[in-house]
Amino acid sequence: MGGIVDFAVAFPSARADIRAMHSASGVALADLARITHCESFPVLADGERSWELALGAARTVLDRTGVPASRIRQVVYAGSGEWDRPFWSPAAKVGHLLGADDAHCYEVANFCNAGMTAIRLLCAAGALNEGEYALVLVSDRLSRMVDYRDPDSKALFNFGDAAAAVLLQGGAGRFRFLHSAMRTDGSWADYYAGEPADGRVLIKRTAHRTGLADAYVRQFTALVDENLAAVGRTRDNIAHFLINHGDRDMHERLLGSLGIPAERSVFNYDRLAHMGGADTLIALGDLRDAGRLRSGDLIMLATSAMGFSWGITTLEYQG
């Protein structure tokens, strides 16, 4: 088994503002505020590339830990598959620039669940030998695929951009990987899809369908209980439950359904929207930086993705 040694997050230089969204779409500011929960949030600037954010986050982690890039055996770039360039490997680009010349570099595409999918694969028994390192890069360009001119796409107007780099090691690490469970309901596969337009890909939703909110609660609840059974714990043992920031109402509903107090989670909606697959790592970093983690804390990361996939990843903080 493996674990997380350290991780870092990088944010882009531009910001999306709901006033500009209002001007482009005609959607009322109050309605937009109910979706984003903040007036502005980080997005990629024109010409800014997500792989460069991931590279910066990776350099921060390697500098902070003192781990030489030559010791990294795998570099995995995780996201939607809609990279900065078509038919191209961002993992290979970042691995080369870091100097991870002996690493196998490849991509994992599972949208906002991709980062945890990669961590699950690399922390499985036999994936990393004791003392071996791997680097997971979580990055996307979601804001560049949202059409602010389309009022029917307003549910996606909270899509921001960020990148995270997670250094894994064979062995426990600072955050020991305990278990991960994931599942997909393919009946929702066509609910959202990309469409080429004006030289870019825009995310479009098909006709509205009810039941997705119920599916979130049902799938996450089942996966939480599966994780707890695997590690021999109960819901009362969950010290921190972190969820991606796609929908605040869903966040609160899920906590209530699970009986987890709000103070055991992190709410960044007042300053950040949905930062893609980096959401739960941003929240985990907030806990770490605020000194709120204690040795032995059981941490669950709840991630979901278009497709639709859901995952729960359970870590134990080692101090």
Side-chain angles (χ1 to χ4, degrees):
M1 299 289 280
I4 297 174
V5 180
D6 196 7
F7 62 94
V9 177
F11 293 98
S13 62
R15 297 187 71 84
D17 191 288
I18 62 172
R19 287 172 287 269
M21 296 176 194
H22 164 68
S23 296
S25 67
V27 177
L29 283 171
D31 292 339
L32 292 172
R34 281 191 288 269
I35 294 169
T36 64
H37 301 287
C38 54
E39 291 188 355
S40 69
F41 51 88
V43 294
L44 291 164
D46 290 341
E48 199 168 24
R49 295 173 290 189
S50 61
W51 72 263
E52 293 177 322
L53 287 183
L55 174 63
R59 283 174 169 159
T60 296
V61 168
L62 295 183
D63 288 346
R64 195 158 60 201
T65 60
V67 173
S70 60
R71 295 189 61 189
I72 296 174
R73 292 295 171 262
Q74 297 189 62
V75 176
V76 183
Y77 198 100
S80 68
E82 187 63 34
W83 314 128
D84 294 284
R85 299 173 66 186
F87 203 73
W88 178 74
S89 173
K93 180 69 172 182
V94 174
H96 171 67
L97 292 177
L98 290 174
D101 297 327
D102 294 327
H104 176 208
C105 303
Y106 57 98
E107 290 72 39
V108 168
N110 194 214
F111 304 94
C112 295
N113 193 50
M116 293 303 130
T117 300
I119 289 172
R120 180 191 193 192
L121 294 171
L122 292 169
C123 287
L128 287 174
N129 295 324
E130 190 77 25
E132 283 188 342
Y133 292 95
L135 190 63
V136 174
L137 308 168
V138 185
S139 190
D140 254 318
R141 43 196 299 278
L142 296 180
S143 74
R144 310 301 291 180
M145 294 185 281
V146 176
D147 186 0
Y148 297 128
R149 301 164 301 177
D150 177 16
D152 290 337
S153 296
K154 65 182 179 181
L156 308 178
F157 284 10
N158 66 337
F159 279 16
D161 305 305
V166 184
L167 183 65
L168 304 174
Q169 181 182 28
R174 192 176 183 189
F175 297 86
R176 184 162 69 102
F177 176 89
L178 296 183
H179 191 73
S180 174
M182 298 180 176
R183 62 179 59 170
T184 301
D185 182 349
S187 70
W188 293 93
D190 296 324
Y191 195 49
Y192 285 102
E195 295 181 1
D198 301 325
R200 59 187 179 127
V201 173
L202 298 177
I203 305 168
K204 297 293 184 180
R205 192 190 72 188
T206 59
H208 179 63
R209 172 186 166 191
T210 61
L212 186 56
D214 292 336
Y216 265 79
V217 173
R218 182 175 65 253
Q219 299 285 9
F220 272 141
T221 299
L223 293 171
V224 165
D225 290 341
E226 184 177 335
N227 271 258
L228 291 172
V231 301
R233 310 286 182 89
T234 68
R235 293 182 186 179
D236 289 340
N237 298 134
I238 301 172
H240 306 285
F241 188 85
L242 311 178
I243 183 170
N244 56 358
H245 276 38
D247 185 329
R248 179 169 186 147
D249 292 339
M250 175 53 57
H251 189 159
E252 293 172 340
R253 178 181 170 186
L254 181 60
L255 291 177
S257 177
L258 292 170
I260 297 174
E263 57 267 23
R264 293 189 193 175
S265 193
V266 172
F267 292 79
N268 281 325
Y269 300 92
D270 61 323
R271 65 186 183 92
L272 297 172
H274 176 33
M275 299 289 104
D279 273 344
T280 54
L281 293 166
I282 293 169
L284 186 58
D286 289 344
L287 293 174
R288 176 191 60 190
D289 296 344
R292 293 177 56 192
L293 297 175
R294 299 291 179 266
S295 181
D297 275 358
L298 192 73
I299 304 165
M300 283 192 168
L301 309 181
T303 49
S304 59
M306 290 185 184
F308 266 77
S309 293
W310 293 267
I312 295 288
T313 302
T314 303
L315 308 173
E316 184 180 67
Y317 184 59
Q318 303 295 292

